[in-house]
Structure formats: structure tokens, C-alpha cells
Amino acid sequence: MTEEGYPATVEVSKYPGMRNDPEVEAFAMQYVMDYERQRGWEPEDVSQKHDGSGFDIRSVGPVDEVTGIASVQRIEVKGRAQHNQEVALTVNEWRKAQQLGDSYWLYVVWGCTSENPQLLTIQNPAKVFAGDAKEIKQVTRYVVGAEALYSKIV
């Protein structure tokens, strides 16, 4: 873990299996929505809003009879075709997990293409995986300084 609270850096080439599969992800989302409804919660798919919320589902639990308050979980869903596969969270997802603490959950659905999918639920993944997560650096652009630009004028 770095001083800023972010995971240590590793090379992206060490994690070749970290690409998205839209069909697997769709299955995982439906699986989690069904799971939430079965346990008496009211899930809402917020993944298509693209509003920077950093999670896929906002799920509201039953109202507590004593306090009159309903619990809210913010759920990031990750689906994998096979069992025992790694998952990656985006920078935004990791930051939101840090900010939202115990109300942020990571739901991993392993075996989305198998007959026996397995659901893993992890509360506050930024805290739980603080020592286990590795940051993956990717080049998104190259910067050319003003001096270099000026020196190449023909």
C-alpha cells in the first residue's frame, strides 16, 4: 500500500485475463439483481447512468422497525466465466469503495458460464483488500514538452 492509500503498482502484462466479456457481465448483473430481490432488498441497476457513481447496483433493504431507516448498499458487480478468477476495480471504483466504506460491497460471480455459479460478497473491499490489491498502470497518453516542440520547428 502506498502512502496515499492506493495499492502498490504492478505491470499490466502480468494480468492478461482482465478483459471484459459483455455476456458474462450481463449474466452476473442479473444474478445479483435476482439475489438481492430474493433476500428482500430492492436493487436498482445504476450502471447505465455513467454518472461516476463507481458501482453498478444501489440496493435498499427493508425498513428497520426500531429506527425506521432502511439500509443502503452500493454494489460493484464483477462476473467471471470460470471459477477462481481475479477481478479488477477501476480507479473510480476503488476511490468510491474507500469513500463509502461499509456501505460499498463487491459482489463477484464466478462460473457465469458454468452450471453452478458462485456468489462472493465482500463488504468494504478497499479496507478488506488494502494489503492484497495491486495497482495496474496503463499509459493513456504521452506528453511532449514545450521545449521539445519548439526545438523541432522546421
Side-chain angles (χ1 to χ4, degrees), residues 12-100:
V12 75
S13 62
K14 294 182 181 179
Y15 297 92
M18 297 309 301
R19 60 181 182 270
N20 282 347
D21 181 330
E23 289 181 21
V24 168
E25 293 294 327
F27 176 89
M29 283 291 291
Q30 188 59 55
Y31 192 89
V32 170
M33 294 287 284
D34 292 344
Y35 170 80
E36 287 295 293
R37 287 186 191 104
Q38 288 170 5
R39 69 185 197 113
W41 286 57
E42 297 177 21
E44 176 190 2
D45 180 349
V46 297
S47 65
Q48 299 307 311
K49 291 184 179 182
H50 303 290
D51 60 359
S53 58
F55 53 90
D56 297 314
I57 296 172
R58 182 178 182 275
S59 192
V60 179
V63 175
D64 183 286
E65 293 178 13
V66 176
T67 64
I69 299 171
S71 294
V72 176
Q73 290 184 348
R74 285 99 178 160
I75 303 168
E76 175 56 30
V77 177
K78 299 294 182 182
R80 292 295 173 256
Q82 305 301 318
H83 290 269
N84 303 320
Q85 292 184 304
E86 62 199 6
V87 298
L89 284 93
T90 66
V91 171
N92 186 47
E93 292 163 355
W94 188 264
R95 286 183 184 150
K96 291 298 181 176
Q98 289 176 315
Q99 291 169 357
L100 297 170

